[in-house]
Amino acid sequence: MSAATDPQRMPDAAFWRGRRVFLTGHTGFKGAWLTLWLQSMGAEVTGYSLAPPSDPNLFTLARVAEGITHLSGDVRQLDALRTAMIAARPDVVLHLAAQSLVRRSYAEPVDTYATNVMGTVNLLEALRSVDSARAAVLVTSDKCYENREWIWGYREHDAMGGHDPYSNSKGCAELVTSAMRRSFFGQPGACAIASARAGNVIGGGDWAQDRLLPDAMRAFSRGEALVVRSPGAIRPWQHVVEPLRGYLLLAEALEREPAAHADGWNFGPEDADCRSVREVVDLTQSHWAGAQVIYDPPPDAPHEAHFLKLDCTRAHTALNWQPRWRLADGVARTVEWYLAHAAGADMRDVTLGQLAAYRGTGS
Ligand SMILES: NC(=O)c1ccc[n+]([C@@H]2O[C@H](COP(=O)([O-])OP(=O)(O)OC[C@H]3O[C@@H](n4cnc5c(N)ncnc54)[C@H](O)[C@@H]3O)[C@@H](O)[C@H]2O)c1
């Protein structure tokens, strides 16, 4: 099968070799994985972010700063962001920096909007000062859609919305991206801009609060019971490498055929991997000897939108992007990662090893 028709196509390492990439959010969970992946393909990465959002964190454990230009910076500060981007002279811009937690967005709505909405405005404004960039992928979320609580998958042109400040900030970021693309990036040769919408991701190196797998790994590694609040909630689970592969394939396609790809894209799991919290907990428990779980749904939990499914037909057909690691593989790899961490392994080696296994270049 040729790379062009492989439904589980991998990013083209030859495309990325020597390519200058400006990446925001590189100290975060997804950004750290993405930086290592880009490094392993020979890209020249400049990362621009605040400090890692948790302690411990993947960025530090996997020594992600090694071999890249690591900048501490705030996307809310336009001048600093523009100066950094101009200096980096990027070919590709990948924007992942965000206040990424729903629960925190209830406690800090202003900061959430400042980072997720004005951060996006600032990123695109900075991009206007850079003539080297050919492709930009801005990461939002499946939560950007107006959730009608219906059974069908959401398509890329469905309405933006969002009930809580986080989800709504991502819907707003989408609208900002669309308006700025049409206003400032329409001329031939301008940077082609796409947005990417993925759902819950799992994987090693995530220590965020209020995410199921990090909560489970924290509890199990301390020998404590995991308390599960919403066992019946259905979520679209996927391993972090799946949407990251989508972002990379999308950036390649933007450069190849800008007009056909400068738009919104969904990257979600297969229907069969949209499973209940309880099923994922069972799978996780099966990989961790002695893991204890207590089910305790609270009566007054803040509203969190019900299951929202993405229709990924566009990514399947136009990018040859289809999930490669299914839920069972993703959970197994995630637990394997945390067990290696608990055993004192070199987490850069472990993370690069998992990436190589995923790419089919390792075990
Ligand atoms: N993890 C998920 O399940 C998930 C699901 C859907 C979408 N997303 C989106 O993917 C992206 C990455 O998510 P993640 O899980 O890696 O998040 P994360 O919280 O682990 O990392 C966030 C990153 O953004 C940086 N950041 C935060 N505020 C900043 C600011 N003002 N200026 C500069 N940098 C700032 C942090 O330093 C960090 O590098 C985010 O846009 C998030 O909304 C994540």
Side-chain angles (χ1 to χ4, degrees):
M1 195 182 309
S2 80
T5 55
D6 179 356
Q8 297 175 341
R9 178 169 158 201
M10 279 292 140
D12 178 6
F15 172 93
W16 292 99
R17 196 169 307 124
R19 188 118 350 201
R20 291 187 308 274
V21 179
F22 188 85
L23 171 59
T24 72
H26 69 297
T27 62
F29 167 52
K30 284 166 101 172
W33 274 93
L34 188 52
T35 305
L36 288 178
W37 193 339
L38 286 163
Q39 268 188 301
S40 68
M41 295 190 293
E44 293 175 21
V45 180
T46 297
Y48 180 96
S49 307
L50 294 180
S54 63
D55 184 19
N57 60 79
L58 178 60
F59 178 77
T60 308
L61 281 173
R63 303 186 304 281
V64 172
E66 276 179 18
I68 68 164
T69 303
H70 162 55
L71 303 175
S72 294
D74 192 328
V75 294
R76 291 168 295 185
Q77 293 173 353
L78 173 60
D79 289 346
L81 177 59
R82 183 164 37 210
T83 302
M85 206 189 285
I86 289 170
R89 298 200 64 253
D91 303 303
V92 176
V93 172
L94 303 172
H95 178 48
L96 280 78
Q99 193 300 92
S100 66
L101 301 172
V102 172
R103 197 175 285 258
R104 188 166 150 199
S105 80
Y106 280 102
E108 299 173 16
V110 174
D111 183 60
T112 300
Y113 282 106
T115 297
N116 297 0
V117 184
M118 282 313 295
T120 302
V121 174
N122 290 340
L123 184 108
L124 291 166
E125 178 63 11
L127 192 54
R128 294 177 66 198
S129 306
V130 171
D131 59 11
S132 55
R134 296 278 71 82
V137 176
L138 279 59
V139 171
T140 64
S141 166
D142 59 355
K143 293 185 166 68
C144 68
Y145 292 106
E146 180 62 31
N147 188 344
R148 300 177 186 218
E149 316 246 341
W150 64 27
I151 53 171
W152 301 282
Y154 289 77
R155 291 187 187 163
E156 282 83 353
H157 290 106
D158 278 326
M160 295 293 115
H163 178 97
D164 58 88
Y166 169 75
S167 306
N168 182 246
S169 73
K170 290 295 188 173
C172 292
E174 286 282 350
L175 296 175
V176 163
T177 303
S178 166
M180 288 191 70
R181 179 197 297 118
R182 280 179 291 193
S183 303
F184 303 117
F185 296 92
Q187 73 280 21
C191 182
I193 296 164
S195 61
R197 305 151 187 176
N200 273 27
V201 290
I202 60 172
D206 190 6
W207 275 277
Q209 297 294 330
D210 303 321
R211 287 184 188 160
L212 180 64
L213 268 288
D215 287 347
M217 297 298 102
R218 250 189 303 270
F220 297 165
S221 59
R222 291 180 193 143
E224 295 169 1
L226 168 70
V227 179
V228 177
R229 306 269 178 214
S230 42
I234 309 280
R235 295 269 188 273
W237 308 97
Q238 58 186 171
H239 194 276
V240 61
V241 290
E242 297 295 348
L244 297 184
R245 175 163 57 98
Y247 307 159
L248 294 169
L249 291 175
L250 180 54
E252 293 174 22
L254 280 168
E255 181 161 319
R256 213 171 41 240
E257 286 179 279
H261 297 92
D263 210 340
W265 294 79
N266 288 342
F267 296 102
E270 307 221 345
D271 279 7
D273 285 345
C274 297
R275 306 263 198 97
S276 70
V277 166
R278 182 185 278 272
E279 287 174 277
V280 173
V281 169
D282 288 348
L283 261 178
T284 308
Q285 229 179 339
S286 73
H287 292 289
W288 195 299
Q292 299 290 316
V293 179
I294 296 169
Y295 290 98
D296 180 24
D300 57 350
H303 175 100
E304 203 186 321
H306 288 295
F307 175 48
L308 192 156
K309 188 166 74 177
L310 295 175
D311 180 327
C312 301
T313 310
R314 188 172 187 211
H316 294 173
T317 54
L319 296 176
N320 287 341
W321 176 89
Q322 288 203 25
R324 185 173 181 126
W325 276 355
R326 303 296 305 276
L327 177 63
D329 306 314
V331 171
R333 289 292 182 177
T334 302
V335 178
E336 173 188 77
W337 194 101
Y338 286 96
L339 285 170
H341 176 244
D346 181 319
M347 297 321 293
R348 185 178 174 92
D349 289 349
V350 171
T351 312
L352 285 169
Q354 291 200 340
L355 275 170
Y358 179 70
R359 293 169 62 198
T361 55
S363 59

